[in-house]
Amino acid sequence: ERYCQLNLPVGVLVIDYHNQAHDGDFAPDPRCYPSVGQLVEGVRKALNASTVFSFWPEAKSDSAEFGILKAAGCLINSDLGGRAIDATPRHCRELMWTQFL
């Protein structure tokens, strides 16, 4: 509402890092975003803008995606407290887009 009141043009509303229930998950926290579809629809209707959720390219051992990514060989570098997701192999990119995003 505030963007409309200030007459600020918005093309994309980015919901940045720490929007997940657990650090390293890809899905937004349902306690904060119970209906992503309704949020996207509301932003589009109110601002005529797109909505984007960002996530850090890592998976921690307690994240929902960790086991799948590990089994597929898509995790590297444990220096971050989790494992970085290696999106350079084609099968890892396809896994990300088809299963998680």
Side-chain angles (χ1 to χ4, degrees):
E1 291 179 19
R2 186 75 173 137
Y3 294 108
C4 293
Q5 292 170 353
L6 296 173
N7 198 28
L8 292 173
V10 177
V12 178
L13 180 66
V14 178
I15 300 170
D16 204 3
Y17 181 57
H18 282 292
N19 61 57
Q20 308 91 348
H22 298 98
D23 200 15
D25 285 342
F26 294 166
D29 186 344
R31 295 171 297 176
C32 298
Y33 308 100
S35 174
V36 173
Q38 285 181 346
L39 173 66
V40 169
E41 183 180 319
V43 168
R44 173 68 69 193
K45 186 176 178 181
L47 302 172
N48 193 31
S50 299
T51 305
V52 175
F53 281 85
S54 71
F55 63 90
W56 283 81
E58 76 170 327
K60 295 197 175 182
S61 60
D62 61 346
S63 69
E65 297 81 10
F66 185 85
I68 297 166
L69 290 165
K70 184 176 180 183
C74 299
L75 298 177
I76 58 173
N77 188 358
S78 60
D79 295 342
L80 303 172
R83 293 276 184 165
I85 298 166
D86 182 5
T88 55
R90 176 181 222 97
H91 77 279
C92 294
R93 290 192 306 274
E94 289 174 357
L95 178 68
M96 295 281 297
W97 282 109
T98 60
Q99 194 154 348
F100 302 132
L101 304 176

